[in-house]
Amino acid sequence: MEFKRVVVLTGAGISAESGIRTFRDQNGLWEDHPVEDVATPEGFQRNPNLVYQFYNMRRAQLLDASVVPNAAHQILAEFEAEHIARGGHFTLITQNVDNLHQRAGNQRIIAMHGQLQSALCSVSGLSIPWTNDLTAEHHCQCCETPSSLRPDIVWFGEVPYQLDDCFEVVSKADLFVSIGTSGKVYPAAGFMQVAQESGAETVELNLEKTSSAFDQGYYGPATEVVVDFFSRLMQR
Ligand SMILES: [Zn+2]
């Protein structure tokens, strides 16, 4: 079967081999912080400086020479270019806030959980490219009265970016590939369901199996299973 409309969903698992630590450890902590302290609007209100500092560290990590796109990121960029050149459609929906898909060269990316290298005007909602440290002292230039900026990260309890666009492309997909993410949590679980209801072939590429609902599953490190799967797809 020739797939024309391909949607790929990626999560933390694709960036693990690039030295980006996965979201939560076994104890529900994120880099030693309870998630509610550093990844909720309430946590930001309680202690903005802690939250600024937390994301500053992660943003700085992206500038580290050792953090680079790995072979799995690269093959997705290659696949997109080739697929588009053949007249296909491709959308990459990522839950990751690192910049590795962008650096690998993917063009059509929906960063549904925001981006580390971006600041958000708390009033206008405008995203502003941001590569340095962000603090309470920084203000936007978009509002008449300069407003405070916050990390451009979708926190728990907030609505992911472009959710309607995500469901739109997923509902039209004939191939839906979930990479390095647990398919169990909404909205990722919802994408899977919509893709299947719309008749798409569904594939899971992950370190470990998360759900038996996928039509196909390949398990192992992303640099192996993602590269294998998309290489085979391109050879067809
Ligand atoms: Zn503003």
Side-chain angles (χ1 to χ4, degrees):
M1 182 178 172
E2 180 70 27
F3 300 110
K4 198 159 172 62
R5 295 176 179 271
V6 178
V7 175
V8 172
L9 170 71
T10 64
I14 197 167
S15 294
E17 291 164 86
S18 290
I20 305 275
R21 285 214 237 162
T22 43
F23 181 57
R24 278 186 255 191
D25 68 16
Q26 306 292 346
N27 304 314
L29 297 178
W30 194 8
E31 309 267 311
D32 301 327
H33 294 286
V35 169
E36 47 280 15
D37 284 355
V38 293
T40 63
E42 295 76 19
F44 183 56
Q45 271 179 353
R46 269 200 306 274
N47 191 347
N49 288 336
L50 169 74
V51 176
Y52 280 122
Q53 196 189 3
F54 179 79
Y55 291 98
N56 286 344
M57 284 172 63
R58 305 193 75 225
R59 192 178 305 106
Q61 191 189 15
L62 296 182
L63 301 177
D64 191 294
S66 69
V67 174
V68 290
N70 64 49
H73 296 104
Q74 279 157 0
I75 197 137
L76 288 180
E78 262 176 66
F79 177 80
E80 176 178 10
E82 194 186 286
H83 193 64
I84 296 296
R86 286 193 197 178
H89 296 261
F90 179 89
T91 306
L92 175 58
I93 302 172
T94 187
Q95 299 174 306
N96 297 340
V97 295
D98 62 50
N99 59 355
L100 297 176
H101 287 306
Q102 288 85 350
R103 283 167 63 188
N106 276 109
Q107 301 295 315
R108 177 100 170 85
I109 302 173
I110 298 178
M112 64 181 293
H113 288 165
Q115 292 190 68
L116 282 168
Q117 287 194 332
S118 176
L120 180 71
C121 170
S122 329
V123 172
S124 76
L126 189 77
S127 296
I128 304 156
W130 205 274
T131 50
N132 298 317
D133 283 356
L134 181 65
T135 69
E137 313 306 316
H138 290 108
H139 288 83
C140 77
Q141 298 184 339
C142 53
C143 301
E144 210 164 312
T145 310
S147 307
S148 65
L149 294 169
R150 54 164 270 187
D152 193 6
I153 302 292
V154 176
W155 287 323
F156 288 98
E158 298 181 319
V159 181
Y161 286 128
Q162 292 181 261
L163 202 50
D164 291 346
D165 295 337
C166 293
F167 277 110
E168 168 87 16
V169 292
V170 169
S171 69
K172 290 180 177 163
D174 43 34
L175 174 64
F176 174 75
V177 186
S178 171
I179 302 174
T181 178
S182 139
K184 288 176 183 165
V185 180
Y186 187 85
F191 295 161
M192 163 64 185
Q193 202 185 343
V194 167
Q196 232 157 19
E197 284 168 5
S198 314
E201 179 80 2
T202 57
V203 180
E204 172 171 54
L205 307 176
N206 212 347
L207 205 50
E208 287 167 2
K209 190 171 188 161
T210 63
S211 154
S212 52
F214 290 92
D215 299 316
Q216 303 178 41
Y218 304 95
Y219 303 99
T223 55
E224 291 171 20
V225 291
V226 176
V227 171
D228 282 355
F229 182 82
F230 283 93
S231 303
R232 276 188 279 122
L233 209 53
M234 283 192 283
Q235 279 161 12
R236 288 207 231 179

